[in-house]
């Protein structure tokens, strides 16, 4: 997705009012815990969308496909995605 910045997980410190949403599969997310993140894998987003506080979202995904699907689903539900991280990504931003 264009215009959404990528941050390494080390640099990721969401602003107040930004939710850290981990959409990785439970098997992937258990190897790289993110304590402050809400864990909600892609297949569960529609079912549990009301559990996500309605504010800005910083997405944590394990692949570009997962990131794109997550961003599209969240935007469709009215959320604003302001950034993303992928543990395997070597981004410099």
């Amino acid at each position: 997705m264009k215009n959404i910045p990528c941050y390494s997980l080390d640099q990721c410190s969401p602003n107040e009012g930004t939710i850290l949403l981990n959409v990785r599969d439970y098997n992937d997310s258990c190897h790289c815990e993110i304590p402050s993140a809400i864990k909600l894998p892609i297949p569960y987003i529609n079912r549990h969308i009301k559990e996500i506080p309605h504010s800005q979202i910083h997405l944590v995904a394990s692949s570009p496909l997962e990131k794109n699907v997550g961003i599209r689903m969240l935007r469709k539900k009215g959320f604003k995605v302001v950034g993303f991280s992928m543990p395997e990504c070597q981004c410099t931003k």
Side-chain angles (χ1 to χ4, degrees):
M1 295 258 133
K2 295 181 180 181
N3 300 325
I4 298 178
C6 175
Y7 299 97
S8 72
L9 283 175
D10 297 338
Q11 296 172 328
C12 182
S13 57
N15 300 334
E16 189 174 320
T18 301
I19 301 298
L20 197 57
L21 182 63
N22 186 349
V23 297
R24 298 177 296 161
D25 184 74
Y26 287 121
N27 293 328
D28 292 336
S29 64
C30 72
H31 298 294
C32 179
E33 277 294 315
I34 304 168
S36 59
I38 295 172
K39 290 183 195 175
L40 191 58
I42 293 286
Y44 298 96
I45 287 179
N46 282 331
R47 187 180 314 157
H48 298 282
I49 197 76
K50 292 181 181 174
E51 295 175 19
I52 303 171
H54 204 76
S55 62
Q56 299 183 121
I57 304 271
H58 181 95
L59 200 72
V60 179
S62 57
S63 70
L65 177 64
E66 195 171 69
K67 170 194 64 123
N68 291 340
V69 169
I71 290 170
R72 283 189 191 120
M73 291 177 82
L74 291 164
R75 281 182 170 173
K76 194 174 187 180
K77 299 291 183 180
F79 290 91
K80 180 179 181 183
V81 180
V82 295
F84 71 91
S85 298
M86 290 188 288
E88 303 300 316
C89 183
Q90 301 299 320
C91 58
T92 58
K93 293 182 181 179

